[in-house]
C-alpha cells in the first residue's frame, strides 16, 4: 500500500542523505501518491510514501518513544489487531505502531507472528543494525544495495539508481535465469550491485556483516490431514471466507474485483458478494480472439452475483499501447504475457477504486495447472516406452505445424515433449522457458562473447534448496512452481501492474493460514480424473452457475503468437533486428533472426522465446539506452 526507502550508515553528509532519501521516495510516487515523509533515526534515514487504504490510518515512519528504533513497511499485517490485544495495546493503535511494539518486545521473532503482505525495514540504534524482512510468499518487493558498510533499500529498483554507489553493469546470471523463469528470481536483480530479498527471509546488517535468516518456509511434509471430502470442503470454505474477510475488513477506500471469467476469481467474487461490502465493481479484460476471451463468462458471473461489471477491451491498439508505453517502465524485464491484460485492467480500475481482489494463487495451491496432470502422464509414458522410441516421438512432435488457438493440442504436446526425461521439479520450466535449461546453459542463445561464460550458471540452485527430492512427484512439481513461477512471476506481475496505477492488489488464495492448510490436503481431493482443483470446483458448485464451474480453463493471457505476427510485428522487427541484437551483444544474432523469420512466416511458433527477448530489449532500451550521459551497460562477466 505504499513505497519505502532508506539509508543505513550513509557515506555522505546528513543533508545529502536527507536529499537522497527524498529523491528515492519521489521515484516511488506511484506506490504512494498521497504524500511522503522521512525521518532521521541515529545515522540512518527511513522514508515512506503513502497509499491510504485502511482505518485507522497508520502514519509512517514510526519511531519508538525513546527515538532509538524506527520502522517503515509496505503492505498490510491483517492480524495486527490480534497482536495489539496480545500486547495490551489500545484498540485504536495504528498498524505500524503495533508492528514496532512487537519488535521491541520480541525482536526478530515477531516476524513469525505476522500474517499479511509486507516489505519492512527497522533501524535499531541500540546495536547499530538495520533489519530488512519480506513476507513469506513475497507479495511485496524489497531491493537493497550494500557496499559492505552502508545499505540502501527501497520497494523498487528504480529508487536505488539514484544512489552514488549504483553501477549499471547487468548481471549475466540474472539474465540467464530470466530466460529460464520469465523473470529475474530473488535474490538476484538485473543489475549486479542490487539484490532482492528472498520471500520469507530477513536480513540483518550490523558491524559490516549481513546475516540472512529464514523465518518461514513451506511445511516439510504433505498429505497429513485425515479429512473426508465433506470435511475438506467445509475447511476450504471457512478458510477462504476468513481470507476474504481479512482483505475487505476495515478498508477506507473503494474496492473492486479482478474478474477473469475463471472459477478462481469467480469464487472470490461470490464470497465478497456474500460477506463483503455492497456494490463492488468487477473488471474483466476481453480479447478479440474468442478462444482467449472470457468476458462473456465473466458477464454471466457478474449478473449472477449482482455485481457492477466493466469490460476492458484488449484490442490491437490497446495492446500496442501497453507494450510501448507501460511495459518499459517496469524495473526489470518480466516475460509473463498476462501482465498485458493486467496492466489494462488496473488502468481502468484506477478510475474507480484503490484496491482489487483476485483469484491468484488458486492454481498453485489447489493443483489447477495442466502441468500437474501432464507430469503424471509423462512419468507413466517414461515407464512404458523405451528411450529411443521416446526420442523419435519428441522429434515428430517438434515438426508439427504451429497451432493458432488457445491451448492448442499441438502446442501442449510439444511443451510436454520438452519436459520428457526432466526431473519433476524441472518439467514446468523446461516446457515453458525460452529453451530447455540445458540448452540455456550451453552455447545457445548467447552471443559469442558471452557463450563461454554461461556454462557455469546453475539454474536449479534455488529449486534444489526449495524442493525435497524425497517428496512425491506432484509435490515436487507444485513446490517448483511456487519457488519461481508464483513468487517471481505471478506475484511480481500483480504487484507491479497494480502499483503502476496506484492500485493495491489483494489475493485471498495467498492467505498464509489458507496456504499452509491447502498444502496438507491429500492429492486425491485435488486431482481427479485428469482434472485439477477438484475440491475448489465443489465449492464453486455451491456458489456459482453450473456452466461456470464446468468451463475449461482458458488462462489470463493475450493471443501472443498472433499478436507478434500482426499488431506487434513492428515492435518485434524493431527490437529484434539483426542490427539491434548485435549492438546490444547479449544474444546470438543468427538464432534470434532465424526465430523471428520462422515465426513471421508461420513456419514455427516461437512466441514464448521471442516474447522473452522482446521484453528484455524493451527494458534495455528504456533503462539503459535512454538515460542521458550514461554509457551502455556491460554484462558483468565474472
Amino acid at each position: 500500500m505504499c513505497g519505502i526507502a532508506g539509508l543505513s550508515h550513509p557515506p555522505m553528509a546528513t543533508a545529502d542523505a536527507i536529499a537522497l532519501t527524498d529523491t528515492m521516495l519521489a521515484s516511488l510516487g506511484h506506490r504512494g501518491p498521497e504524500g511522503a515523509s522521512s525521518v532521521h533515526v541515529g545515522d540512518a534515514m527511513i522514508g515512506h510514501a503513502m497509499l491510504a487504504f485502511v482505518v485507522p490510518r497508520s502514519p509512517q515512519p514510526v519511531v519508538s518513544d525513546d527515538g532509538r528504533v524506527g520502522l517503515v513497511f509496505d503492505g498490510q499485517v491483517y492480524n495486527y489487531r490480534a497482536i495489539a490485544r496480545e500486547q495490551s495495546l489500545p484498540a485504536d493503535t495504528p498498524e505500524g505502531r503495533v508492528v514496532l511494539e512487537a519488535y521491541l518486545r520480541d525482536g526478530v521473532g515477531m516476524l513469525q507472528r505476522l500474517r499479511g503482505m509486507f516489505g519492512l525495514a527497522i533501524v535499531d540504534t541500540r546495536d547499530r543494525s538495520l533489519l530488512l524482512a519480506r513476507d513469506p510468499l513475497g507479495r511485496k518487493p524489497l531491493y537493497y544495495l550494500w557496499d559492505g558498510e552502508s545499505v540502501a533499500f527501497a520497494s523498487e529498483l528504480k529508487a536505488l539508481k539514484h544512489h552514488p554507489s549504483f553501477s549499471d553493469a547487468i548481471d549475466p546470471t540474472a539474465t540467464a535465469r530470466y530466460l529460464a523463469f520469465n523473470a529475474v528470481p530473488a535474490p538476484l536483480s538485473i543489475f549486479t550491485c542490487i539484490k532482492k530479498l528472498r520471500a520469507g527471509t530477513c536480513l540483518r546488517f550490523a558491524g559490516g556483516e549481513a546475516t540472512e535468516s529464514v523465518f518461514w518456509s513451506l511445511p516439510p511434509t504433505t498429505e497429513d490431514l485425515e479429512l473426508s471430502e465433506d470435511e475438506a470442503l467445509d475447511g476450504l470454505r471457512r478458510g477462504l471466507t476468513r481470507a476474504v474477510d481479512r482483505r475487505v475488513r476495515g478498508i477506507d477506500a473503494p474496492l473492486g474485483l479482478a474478474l477473469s471469467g475463471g472459477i478462481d476469481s469467480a469464487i472470490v467474487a461470490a464470497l465478497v458478494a456474500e460477506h463483503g461490502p455492497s456494490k463492488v465493481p468487477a473488471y474483466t479484460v476481453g480479447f478479440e480472439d474468442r478462444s482467449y476471451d472470457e468476458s462473456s463468462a465473466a458477464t454471466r458471473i457478474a449478473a449472477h452475483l449482482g455485481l457492477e461489471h466493466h469490460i476492458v477491451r484488449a484490442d490491437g491498439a490497446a495492446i500496442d499501447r501497453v507494450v510501448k508505453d507501460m511495459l518499459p517502465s517496469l524495473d526489470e524485464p518480466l516475460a509473463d504475457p498476462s501482465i498485458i491484460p493486467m496492466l489494462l485492467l488496473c488502468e481502468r480500475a484506477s478510475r474507480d477504486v484503490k484496491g482489487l481482489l483476485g483469484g491468484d494463487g488458486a492454481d498453485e495451491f489447489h493443483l489447477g495447472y495442466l502441468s500437474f496432470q501432464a507430469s503424471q502422464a509423462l512419468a507413466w509414458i517414461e515407464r512404458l516406452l523405451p528411450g529411443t522410441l521416446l526420442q523419435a516421438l519428441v522429434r515428430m512432435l517438434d515438426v508439427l505445424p504451429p497451432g493458432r488457438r488457445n491451448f492448442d493440442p499441438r502446442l501442449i504436446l510439444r511443451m510436454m515433449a520438452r519436459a520428457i526425461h526432466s526431473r519433476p521439479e524441472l518439467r514446468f520450466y523446461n516446457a515453458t522457458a525460452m529453451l530447455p535449461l540445458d540448452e540455456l546453459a550451453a552455447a545457445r542463445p548467447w552471443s559469442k562473447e558471452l557463450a563461454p561464460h554461461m556454462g557455469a550458471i546453475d539454474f536449479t540452485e534455488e529449486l534444489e534448496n526449495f524442493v525435497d527430492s524425497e517428496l512425491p512427484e506432484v509435490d515436487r512439481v507444485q513446490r517448483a512452481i511456487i519457488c519461481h513461477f508464483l513468487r517471481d512471476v505471478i506475484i511480481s506481475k500483480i504487484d507491479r501492474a497494480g502499483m503502476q496505477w496506484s492500485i493495491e492488489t489483494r489475493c485471498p488464495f495467498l492467505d498464509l493460514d489458507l496456504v499452509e492448510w491447502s498444502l496438507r490436503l491429500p492429492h486425491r481431493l485435488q486431482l481427479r480424473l485428469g482434472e485439477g482443483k477438484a475440491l475448489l470446483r465443489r465449492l464453486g458448485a455451491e456458489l456459482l452457475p453450473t456452466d461456470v464451474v464446468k468451463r475449461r480453463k482458458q488462462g489470463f493471457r493475450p493471443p501472443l503468437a498472433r499478436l507478434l505476427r500482426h499488431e506487434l510485428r513492428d515492435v518485434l522487427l524493431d527490437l529484434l533486428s539483426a542490427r539491434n541484437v548485435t549492438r546490444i551483444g547479449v544474444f546470438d544474432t543468427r538464432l534470434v533472426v532465424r526465430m523471428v523469420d520462422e515465426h513471421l512466416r508461420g513456419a514455427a511458433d516461437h512466441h514464448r522465446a521471442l516474447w522473452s527477448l522482446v521484453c528484455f530489449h524493451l527494458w534495455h532500451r528504456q533503462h539503459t539506452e535512454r538515460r542521458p550521459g550514461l554509457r551502455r551497460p556491460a554484462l558483468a562477466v565474472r
Side-chain angles (χ1 to χ4, degrees), residues 170-180 183-185 188-192 196 332-333 446 457 616 638:
I170 298 172
D171 189 334
T173 300
T175 304
R177 290 185 179 172
Y178 158 74
L179 293 187
V184 178
L188 302 176
S189 88
I190 194 66
F191 294 113
T192 56
K196 288 194 291 279
E332 299 180 281
W446 311 109
I457 292 177
F616 180 86
R638 290 186 288 270

Side-chain angles (χ1 to χ4, degrees), residues 1 45 66 115 119 135-136 178 255 280 382 406 408 416 483:
M1 297 189 296
M45 286 293 305
D66 61 8
R115 289 293 185 270
D135 66 82
Y178 158 74
L255 178 71
V280 177
E382 289 173 357
N406 192 15
D408 186 88
M416 289 179 64
C483 178

Side-chain angles (χ1 to χ4, degrees), residues 201-265:
T201 67
C202 60
L203 264 174
R204 182 177 179 273
F205 299 91
E209 295 184 354
T211 305
E212 183 180 43
S213 302
V214 176
F215 66 87
W216 185 89
S217 57
L218 291 181
T221 59
T222 59
E223 295 198 36
D224 56 350
L225 285 177
E226 296 183 3
L227 296 173
S228 69
E229 186 172 349
D230 287 342
E231 290 171 333
L233 180 64
D234 181 63
L236 174 61
R237 178 158 190 159
R238 283 188 285 106
L240 190 53
T241 299
R242 182 171 57 248
V244 168
D245 181 63
R246 282 175 167 175
R247 285 153 182 80
V248 302
R249 186 195 315 151
I251 289 178
D252 185 29
L255 178 71
L257 292 160
L259 190 64
S260 70
I263 188 173
D264 308 333
S265 61

Side-chain angles (χ1 to χ4, degrees), residues 419-465:
I420 285 177
H421 296 315
S422 299
R423 301 201 310 269
E425 55 267 34
L426 300 183
R427 283 180 179 148
F428 177 83
Y429 299 109
N430 274 327
T432 60
M434 173 183 172
L435 293 168
L437 301 189
D438 58 346
E439 294 187 41
L440 285 176
R444 302 175 71 201
W446 311 109
S447 65
K448 292 180 180 179
E449 294 76 17
L450 282 178
H453 303 280
M454 291 306 197
I457 292 177
D458 183 0
F459 290 95
T460 65
E461 179 182 5
E462 288 291 308
L463 290 171
E464 290 176 354
N465 292 333

